[in-house]
PDB file of all heavy atoms in Angstrom:
ATOM      1  N   LEU A1163     -29.299  82.705 -14.118  1.00  0.00           N
ATOM      2  CA  LEU A1163     -27.998  82.342 -13.563  1.00  0.00           C
ATOM      3  C   LEU A1163     -27.226  81.589 -14.648  1.00  0.00           C
ATOM      4  O   LEU A1163     -27.811  80.828 -15.420  1.00  0.00           O
ATOM      5  CB  LEU A1163     -28.174  81.463 -12.328  1.00  0.00           C
ATOM      6  CG  LEU A1163     -28.875  82.126 -11.145  1.00  0.00           C
ATOM      7  CD1 LEU A1163     -29.064  81.121 -10.014  1.00  0.00           C
ATOM      8  CD2 LEU A1163     -28.107  83.337 -10.652  1.00  0.00           C
ATOM      9  N   LEU A1164     -25.914  81.778 -14.686  1.00  0.00           N
ATOM     10  CA  LEU A1164     -25.107  81.255 -15.787  1.00  0.00           C
ATOM     11  C   LEU A1164     -24.065  80.230 -15.342  1.00  0.00           C
ATOM     12  O   LEU A1164     -23.660  80.200 -14.176  1.00  0.00           O
ATOM     13  CB  LEU A1164     -24.405  82.414 -16.500  1.00  0.00           C
ATOM     14  CG  LEU A1164     -25.320  83.514 -17.032  1.00  0.00           C
ATOM     15  CD1 LEU A1164     -24.503  84.671 -17.588  1.00  0.00           C
ATOM     16  CD2 LEU A1164     -26.284  82.958 -18.062  1.00  0.00           C
ATOM     17  N   LYS A1165     -23.630  79.441 -16.294  1.00  0.00           N
ATOM     18  CA  LYS A1165     -22.597  78.426 -16.091  1.00  0.00           C
ATOM     19  C   LYS A1165     -21.395  79.060 -15.377  1.00  0.00           C
ATOM     20  O   LYS A1165     -20.991  80.176 -15.700  1.00  0.00           O
ATOM     21  CB  LYS A1165     -22.162  77.859 -17.440  1.00  0.00           C
ATOM     22  CG  LYS A1165     -21.071  76.831 -17.354  1.00  0.00           C
ATOM     23  CD  LYS A1165     -20.705  76.321 -18.734  1.00  0.00           C
ATOM     24  CE  LYS A1165     -19.596  75.295 -18.629  1.00  0.00           C
ATOM     25  NZ  LYS A1165     -19.259  74.735 -19.936  1.00  0.00           N
ATOM     26  N   ASN A1166     -20.877  78.334 -14.404  1.00  0.00           N
ATOM     27  CA  ASN A1166     -19.714  78.715 -13.590  1.00  0.00           C
ATOM     28  C   ASN A1166     -19.972  79.851 -12.607  1.00  0.00           C
ATOM     29  O   ASN A1166     -19.062  80.226 -11.867  1.00  0.00           O
ATOM     30  CB  ASN A1166     -18.491  79.019 -14.457  1.00  0.00           C
ATOM     31  CG  ASN A1166     -17.985  77.780 -15.154  1.00  0.00           C
ATOM     32  OD1 ASN A1166     -17.998  76.689 -14.591  1.00  0.00           O
ATOM     33  ND2 ASN A1166     -17.577  77.935 -16.396  1.00  0.00           N
ATOM     34  N   GLN A1167     -21.188  80.379 -12.574  1.00  0.00           N
ATOM     35  CA  GLN A1167     -21.520  81.332 -11.519  1.00  0.00           C
ATOM     36  C   GLN A1167     -21.573  80.559 -10.214  1.00  0.00           C
ATOM     37  O   GLN A1167     -21.845  79.363 -10.194  1.00  0.00           O
ATOM     38  CB  GLN A1167     -22.901  81.954 -11.757  1.00  0.00           C
ATOM     39  CG  GLN A1167     -22.849  83.336 -12.329  1.00  0.00           C
ATOM     40  CD  GLN A1167     -24.223  83.975 -12.393  1.00  0.00           C
ATOM     41  OE1 GLN A1167     -25.185  83.373 -12.851  1.00  0.00           O
ATOM     42  NE2 GLN A1167     -24.304  85.209 -11.953  1.00  0.00           N
ATOM     43  N   PHE A1168     -21.296  81.258  -9.126  1.00  0.00           N
ATOM     44  CA  PHE A1168     -21.467  80.626  -7.823  1.00  0.00           C
ATOM     45  C   PHE A1168     -22.486  81.410  -7.030  1.00  0.00           C
ATOM     46  O   PHE A1168     -22.665  82.615  -7.239  1.00  0.00           O
ATOM     47  CB  PHE A1168     -20.138  80.498  -7.075  1.00  0.00           C
ATOM     48  CG  PHE A1168     -19.494  81.810  -6.768  1.00  0.00           C
ATOM     49  CD1 PHE A1168     -19.774  82.468  -5.584  1.00  0.00           C
ATOM     50  CD2 PHE A1168     -18.611  82.377  -7.654  1.00  0.00           C
ATOM     51  CE1 PHE A1168     -19.197  83.686  -5.306  1.00  0.00           C
ATOM     52  CE2 PHE A1168     -18.021  83.593  -7.383  1.00  0.00           C
ATOM     53  CZ  PHE A1168     -18.315  84.242  -6.200  1.00  0.00           C
ATOM     54  N   VAL A1169     -23.180  80.697  -6.163  1.00  0.00           N
ATOM     55  CA  VAL A1169     -24.238  81.309  -5.357  1.00  0.00           C
ATOM     56  C   VAL A1169     -24.009  80.942  -3.896  1.00  0.00           C
ATOM     57  O   VAL A1169     -24.023  79.764  -3.535  1.00  0.00           O
ATOM     58  CB  VAL A1169     -25.632  80.811  -5.808  1.00  0.00           C
ATOM     59  CG1 VAL A1169     -26.718  81.390  -4.913  1.00  0.00           C
ATOM     60  CG2 VAL A1169     -25.880  81.151  -7.264  1.00  0.00           C
ATOM     61  N   LEU A1170     -23.751  81.959  -3.077  1.00  0.00           N
ATOM     62  CA  LEU A1170     -23.721  81.787  -1.631  1.00  0.00           C
ATOM     63  C   LEU A1170     -25.176  81.847  -1.186  1.00  0.00           C
ATOM     64  O   LEU A1170     -25.885  82.804  -1.502  1.00  0.00           O
ATOM     65  CB  LEU A1170     -22.898  82.896  -0.975  1.00  0.00           C
ATOM     66  CG  LEU A1170     -21.401  82.815  -1.270  1.00  0.00           C
ATOM     67  CD1 LEU A1170     -20.965  83.951  -2.162  1.00  0.00           C
ATOM     68  CD2 LEU A1170     -20.623  82.826   0.015  1.00  0.00           C
ATOM     69  N   THR A1171     -25.636  80.831  -0.479  1.00  0.00           N
ATOM     70  CA  THR A1171     -27.070  80.671  -0.258  1.00  0.00           C
ATOM     71  C   THR A1171     -27.618  81.338   0.997  1.00  0.00           C
ATOM     72  O   THR A1171     -28.828  81.388   1.182  1.00  0.00           O
ATOM     73  CB  THR A1171     -27.432  79.178  -0.213  1.00  0.00           C
ATOM     74  OG1 THR A1171     -26.667  78.537   0.816  1.00  0.00           O
ATOM     75  CG2 THR A1171     -27.176  78.529  -1.561  1.00  0.00           C
ATOM     76  N   GLY A1172     -26.762  81.841   1.856  1.00  0.00           N
ATOM     77  CA  GLY A1172     -27.228  82.485   3.081  1.00  0.00           C
ATOM     78  C   GLY A1172     -26.582  81.861   4.298  1.00  0.00           C
ATOM     79  O   GLY A1172     -26.242  80.683   4.314  1.00  0.00           O
ATOM     80  N   SER A1173     -26.406  82.658   5.332  1.00  0.00           N
ATOM     81  CA  SER A1173     -25.727  82.213   6.538  1.00  0.00           C
ATOM     82  C   SER A1173     -26.510  81.120   7.250  1.00  0.00           C
ATOM     83  O   SER A1173     -27.722  81.207   7.392  1.00  0.00           O
ATOM     84  CB  SER A1173     -25.527  83.403   7.478  1.00  0.00           C
ATOM     85  OG  SER A1173     -24.767  83.027   8.597  1.00  0.00           O
ATOM     86  N   VAL A1174     -25.790  80.115   7.716  1.00  0.00           N
ATOM     87  CA  VAL A1174     -26.424  78.996   8.419  1.00  0.00           C
ATOM     88  C   VAL A1174     -26.642  79.295   9.896  1.00  0.00           C
ATOM     89  O   VAL A1174     -27.336  78.559  10.585  1.00  0.00           O
ATOM     90  CB  VAL A1174     -25.597  77.694   8.275  1.00  0.00           C
ATOM     91  CG1 VAL A1174     -25.442  77.311   6.828  1.00  0.00           C
ATOM     92  CG2 VAL A1174     -24.249  77.826   8.952  1.00  0.00           C
ATOM     93  N   ALA A1175     -26.025  80.366  10.380  1.00  0.00           N
ATOM     94  CA  ALA A1175     -26.154  80.761  11.786  1.00  0.00           C
ATOM     95  C   ALA A1175     -25.923  82.261  11.865  1.00  0.00           C
ATOM     96  O   ALA A1175     -25.539  82.888  10.873  1.00  0.00           O
ATOM     97  CB  ALA A1175     -25.126  80.014  12.644  1.00  0.00           C
ATOM     98  N   GLY A1176     -26.118  82.814  13.029  1.00  0.00           N
ATOM     99  CA  GLY A1176     -25.825  84.225  13.202  1.00  0.00           C
ATOM    100  C   GLY A1176     -24.364  84.492  12.872  1.00  0.00           C
ATOM    101  O   GLY A1176     -23.490  83.687  13.186  1.00  0.00           O
ATOM    102  N   ALA A1177     -24.094  85.595  12.248  1.00  0.00           N
ATOM    103  CA  ALA A1177     -22.734  85.922  11.842  1.00  0.00           C
ATOM    104  C   ALA A1177     -21.831  86.123  13.054  1.00  0.00           C
ATOM    105  O   ALA A1177     -22.278  86.553  14.118  1.00  0.00           O
ATOM    106  CB  ALA A1177     -22.741  87.181  10.987  1.00  0.00           C
ATOM    107  N   TYR A1178     -20.542  85.817  12.862  1.00  0.00           N
ATOM    108  CA  TYR A1178     -19.535  86.151  13.874  1.00  0.00           C
ATOM    109  C   TYR A1178     -19.264  87.639  13.721  1.00  0.00           C
ATOM    110  O   TYR A1178     -18.832  88.097  12.671  1.00  0.00           O
ATOM    111  CB  TYR A1178     -18.266  85.325  13.664  1.00  0.00           C
ATOM    112  CG  TYR A1178     -17.144  85.735  14.587  1.00  0.00           C
ATOM    113  CD1 TYR A1178     -17.266  85.582  15.967  1.00  0.00           C
ATOM    114  CD2 TYR A1178     -15.966  86.268  14.089  1.00  0.00           C
ATOM    115  CE1 TYR A1178     -16.248  85.957  16.823  1.00  0.00           C
ATOM    116  CE2 TYR A1178     -14.937  86.642  14.939  1.00  0.00           C
ATOM    117  CZ  TYR A1178     -15.080  86.492  16.294  1.00  0.00           C
ATOM    118  OH  TYR A1178     -14.069  86.864  17.142  1.00  0.00           O
ATOM    119  N   PHE A1179     -19.547  88.395  14.771  1.00  0.00           N
ATOM    120  CA  PHE A1179     -19.503  89.849  14.698  1.00  0.00           C
ATOM    121  C   PHE A1179     -18.800  90.395  15.945  1.00  0.00           C
ATOM    122  O   PHE A1179     -19.449  90.828  16.898  1.00  0.00           O
ATOM    123  CB  PHE A1179     -20.936  90.365  14.631  1.00  0.00           C
ATOM    124  CG  PHE A1179     -21.093  91.765  14.139  1.00  0.00           C
ATOM    125  CD1 PHE A1179     -22.354  92.240  13.839  1.00  0.00           C
ATOM    126  CD2 PHE A1179     -20.027  92.627  13.976  1.00  0.00           C
ATOM    127  CE1 PHE A1179     -22.549  93.533  13.382  1.00  0.00           C
ATOM    128  CE2 PHE A1179     -20.196  93.919  13.530  1.00  0.00           C
ATOM    129  CZ  PHE A1179     -21.457  94.376  13.232  1.00  0.00           C
ATOM    130  N   PRO A1180     -17.455  90.355  15.967  1.00  0.00           N
ATOM    131  CA  PRO A1180     -16.750  90.827  17.158  1.00  0.00           C
ATOM    132  C   PRO A1180     -16.894  92.336  17.329  1.00  0.00           C
ATOM    133  O   PRO A1180     -16.773  93.090  16.371  1.00  0.00           O
ATOM    134  CB  PRO A1180     -15.288  90.452  16.883  1.00  0.00           C
ATOM    135  CG  PRO A1180     -15.189  90.392  15.399  1.00  0.00           C
ATOM    136  CD  PRO A1180     -16.543  89.947  14.909  1.00  0.00           C
ATOM    137  N   LYS A1181     -17.185  92.758  18.533  1.00  0.00           N
ATOM    138  CA  LYS A1181     -17.378  94.180  18.811  1.00  0.00           C
ATOM    139  C   LYS A1181     -16.045  94.927  18.891  1.00  0.00           C
ATOM    140  O   LYS A1181     -15.960  96.089  18.555  1.00  0.00           O
ATOM    141  CB  LYS A1181     -18.165  94.347  20.101  1.00  0.00           C
ATOM    142  CG  LYS A1181     -19.577  93.791  20.003  1.00  0.00           C
ATOM    143  CD  LYS A1181     -20.330  94.037  21.292  1.00  0.00           C
ATOM    144  CE  LYS A1181     -21.633  93.325  21.389  1.00  0.00           C
ATOM    145  NZ  LYS A1181     -22.585  93.397  20.397  1.00  0.00           N
ATOM    146  N   GLU A1182     -15.015  94.225  19.325  1.00  0.00           N
ATOM    147  CA  GLU A1182     -13.690  94.836  19.475  1.00  0.00           C
ATOM    148  C   GLU A1182     -12.799  94.436  18.299  1.00  0.00           C
ATOM    149  O   GLU A1182     -12.855  93.298  17.835  1.00  0.00           O
ATOM    150  CB  GLU A1182     -13.041  94.378  20.785  1.00  0.00           C
ATOM    151  CG  GLU A1182     -13.862  94.689  22.022  1.00  0.00           C
ATOM    152  CD  GLU A1182     -14.041  96.175  22.259  1.00  0.00           C
ATOM    153  OE1 GLU A1182     -13.098  96.933  21.965  1.00  0.00           O
ATOM    154  OE2 GLU A1182     -15.130  96.572  22.716  1.00  0.00           O
ATOM    155  N   LYS A1183     -11.951  95.358  17.857  1.00  0.00           N
ATOM    156  CA  LYS A1183     -11.038  95.069  16.746  1.00  0.00           C
ATOM    157  C   LYS A1183     -10.114  93.903  17.061  1.00  0.00           C
ATOM    158  O   LYS A1183      -9.709  93.168  16.174  1.00  0.00           O
ATOM    159  CB  LYS A1183     -10.230  96.309  16.379  1.00  0.00           C
ATOM    160  CG  LYS A1183     -11.039  97.347  15.656  1.00  0.00           C
ATOM    161  CD  LYS A1183     -10.180  98.485  15.176  1.00  0.00           C
ATOM    162  CE  LYS A1183     -11.055  99.488  14.431  1.00  0.00           C
ATOM    163  NZ  LYS A1183     -10.271 100.567  13.847  1.00  0.00           N
ATOM    164  N   ALA A1184      -9.781  93.706  18.325  1.00  0.00           N
ATOM    165  CA  ALA A1184      -8.885  92.620  18.717  1.00  0.00           C
ATOM    166  C   ALA A1184      -9.502  91.254  18.421  1.00  0.00           C
ATOM    167  O   ALA A1184      -8.780  90.258  18.282  1.00  0.00           O
ATOM    168  CB  ALA A1184      -8.550  92.726  20.204  1.00  0.00           C
ATOM    169  N   GLY A1185     -10.810  91.186  18.300  1.00  0.00           N
ATOM    170  CA  GLY A1185     -11.487  89.919  18.010  1.00  0.00           C
ATOM    171  C   GLY A1185     -11.576  89.592  16.533  1.00  0.00           C
ATOM    172  O   GLY A1185     -12.162  88.590  16.150  1.00  0.00           O
ATOM    173  N   ARG A1186     -11.013  90.439  15.676  1.00  0.00           N
ATOM    174  CA  ARG A1186     -11.107  90.239  14.231  1.00  0.00           C
ATOM    175  C   ARG A1186      -9.971  89.415  13.638  1.00  0.00           C
ATOM    176  O   ARG A1186     -10.232  88.483  12.899  1.00  0.00           O
ATOM    177  CB  ARG A1186     -11.192  91.590  13.528  1.00  0.00           C
ATOM    178  CG  ARG A1186     -12.440  92.350  13.891  1.00  0.00           C
ATOM    179  CD  ARG A1186     -12.453  93.726  13.294  1.00  0.00           C
ATOM    180  NE  ARG A1186     -13.615  94.464  13.769  1.00  0.00           N
ATOM    181  CZ  ARG A1186     -13.805  95.736  13.565  1.00  0.00           C
ATOM    182  NH1 ARG A1186     -12.923  96.435  12.878  1.00  0.00           N
ATOM    183  NH2 ARG A1186     -14.886  96.326  14.035  1.00  0.00           N
ATOM    184  N   PRO A1187      -8.702  89.756  13.906  1.00  0.00           N
ATOM    185  CA  PRO A1187      -7.616  88.997  13.275  1.00  0.00           C
ATOM    186  C   PRO A1187      -7.612  87.543  13.722  1.00  0.00           C
ATOM    187  O   PRO A1187      -8.021  87.220  14.833  1.00  0.00           O
ATOM    188  CB  PRO A1187      -6.351  89.699  13.769  1.00  0.00           C
ATOM    189  CG  PRO A1187      -6.784  91.036  14.246  1.00  0.00           C
ATOM    190  CD  PRO A1187      -8.204  90.856  14.727  1.00  0.00           C
ATOM    191  N   GLY A1188      -7.156  86.676  12.842  1.00  0.00           N
ATOM    192  CA  GLY A1188      -7.041  85.269  13.192  1.00  0.00           C
ATOM    193  C   GLY A1188      -7.211  84.384  11.982  1.00  0.00           C
ATOM    194  O   GLY A1188      -7.471  84.848  10.870  1.00  0.00           O
ATOM    195  N   LYS A1189      -7.054  83.098  12.220  1.00  0.00           N
ATOM    196  CA  LYS A1189      -7.236  82.102  11.173  1.00  0.00           C
ATOM    197  C   LYS A1189      -8.633  81.495  11.354  1.00  0.00           C
ATOM    198  O   LYS A1189      -8.912  80.852  12.366  1.00  0.00           O
ATOM    199  CB  LYS A1189      -6.181  81.015  11.257  1.00  0.00           C
ATOM    200  CG  LYS A1189      -6.287  79.973  10.172  1.00  0.00           C
ATOM    201  CD  LYS A1189      -5.166  78.954  10.283  1.00  0.00           C
ATOM    202  CE  LYS A1189      -5.251  77.939   9.176  1.00  0.00           C
ATOM    203  NZ  LYS A1189      -4.154  76.967   9.296  1.00  0.00           N
TER     204      LYS A1189
END
């Protein structure tokens, strides 16, 4: 691993996974 690389370490909980497209847009 190199200087200034970033590492996402893994999800802390189950992912937010909306089944309907209407549940996707938002802040």
Side-chain angles (χ1 to χ4, degrees):
L1163 296 177
L1164 304 174
K1165 178 180 180 177
N1166 293 323
Q1167 258 187 312
F1168 62 90
V1169 177
L1170 291 111
T1171 57
S1173 185
V1174 301
Y1178 174 64
F1179 198 170
K1181 296 182 190 309
E1182 302 296 325
K1183 287 186 179 184
R1186 296 175 185 171
K1189 182 178 182 180

